[in-house]
Amino acid sequence: MIILENITKRFEGRTVIEGLSLTLEDGGITVLCGASGIGKTTLLRLLAGLIAPDGGSIVSDARKIAVSFQEPRLVPWLTCKENINFVLSEGEHSSKKADDLLTALALESHQNDLPSTLSGGEKQRVSLARALAADADLLLLDEPFTGLDEELKHRVAALIKGANARTHTLVISHDPRDAALLGATLLRAESTPLSALISPL
């Protein structure tokens, strides 16, 4: 379980998140929708532990967190397959798991390619595969469906829904229809600074 209590975050004097409280139960998927610049990615970075709040507290029992950002952040000197295997231990049959994800995301022909040779969409899918491979307690995905055709979008949705039963997945999206695709709880961010998340009826 992850509990955020009265979270505030500022950047250079600008308040991005103010007094936000949120609880994420173990398991399940939450889709957070809202306009650009409203604080969604800042919230994701707070949950990932990459930045600290200026006020409030975050209590989490997640032992392993995996993130796929809009910017792929792949290790440039590793191939696609090596980037996925990077998050796995030798005892996790990493090659088989990487192969399965590469095939599911239509990347099998790029398994030995370096990130510099890939298109932006291909890099994003490798980043997503790496996050899914990690078998994390908390899975944070920033716009995972961007640039995907319908077939790939449904493949990705199936992979996200197939995550470990204990995993809570938070998906940042501009499209509320993604919640229905994932069978997820939909929350809307509708104010700046982000102070409340609204669950539509």
Side-chain angles (χ1 to χ4, degrees), residues 51-68:
I51 56 175
D54 295 312
S57 64
I58 299 175
V59 177
S60 173
D61 60 4
R63 293 166 297 172
K64 190 173 185 181
I65 300 171
V67 187
S68 179

Side-chain angles (χ1 to χ4, degrees), residues 3-201:
I3 302 172
L4 290 80
E5 285 281 353
N6 201 31
I7 295 297
T8 296
K9 184 62 186 176
R10 303 180 186 89
F11 293 105
E12 298 179 351
R14 174 176 172 259
T15 301
V16 179
I17 298 176
E18 183 173 37
L20 177 67
S21 296
L22 174 68
T23 298
L24 299 175
E25 303 283 351
D26 293 340
I29 305 171
T30 301
V31 172
L32 174 58
C33 286
S36 296
I38 207 167
K40 304 187 303 298
T41 297
T42 297
L43 176 59
L44 183 146
R45 294 176 67 203
L46 285 164
L47 287 167
L50 298 174
I51 56 175
D54 295 312
S57 64
I58 299 175
V59 177
S60 173
D61 60 4
R63 293 166 297 172
K64 190 173 185 181
I65 300 171
V67 187
S68 179
F69 291 101
Q70 289 189 65
E71 310 83 22
R73 305 188 186 188
L74 301 175
V75 182
W77 54 86
L78 298 181
T79 66
C80 293
K81 188 171 181 177
E82 288 169 342
N83 263 282
I84 299 169
N85 283 335
F86 188 73
V87 302
L88 301 173
S89 68
E90 291 183 7
E92 292 181 286
H93 307 289
S94 57
S95 290
K96 174 67 164 60
K97 194 167 192 176
D99 286 341
D100 290 346
L101 285 164
L102 287 164
T103 298
L105 293 171
L107 290 165
E108 60 269 35
S109 64
H110 297 291
Q111 63 174 331
N112 296 318
D113 293 344
L114 293 173
S116 60
T117 69
L118 304 178
S119 70
E122 288 163 348
K123 291 177 186 177
Q124 186 63 35
R125 275 152 43 214
V126 176
S127 174
L128 177 61
R130 184 177 58 185
L132 290 166
D135 194 26
D137 302 300
L138 178 61
L139 182 59
L140 305 171
L141 307 176
D142 199 349
E143 301 286 356
F145 298 120
T146 298
L148 300 183
D149 61 28
E150 282 302 308
E151 180 183 354
L152 271 175
K153 191 170 184 178
H154 281 83
R155 286 193 197 184
V156 168
L159 290 170
I160 294 172
K161 289 189 288 186
N164 192 301
R166 73 173 184 274
T167 302
H168 191 97
T169 302
L170 177 66
V171 175
I172 302 296
S173 175
H174 285 89
D175 189 346
R177 292 174 297 181
D178 290 345
L181 181 64
L182 291 165
T185 299
L186 175 62
L187 296 176
R188 289 183 183 271
E190 297 186 338
S191 65
T192 303
L194 183 59
S195 58
L197 298 175
I198 300 167
S199 181
L201 297 177

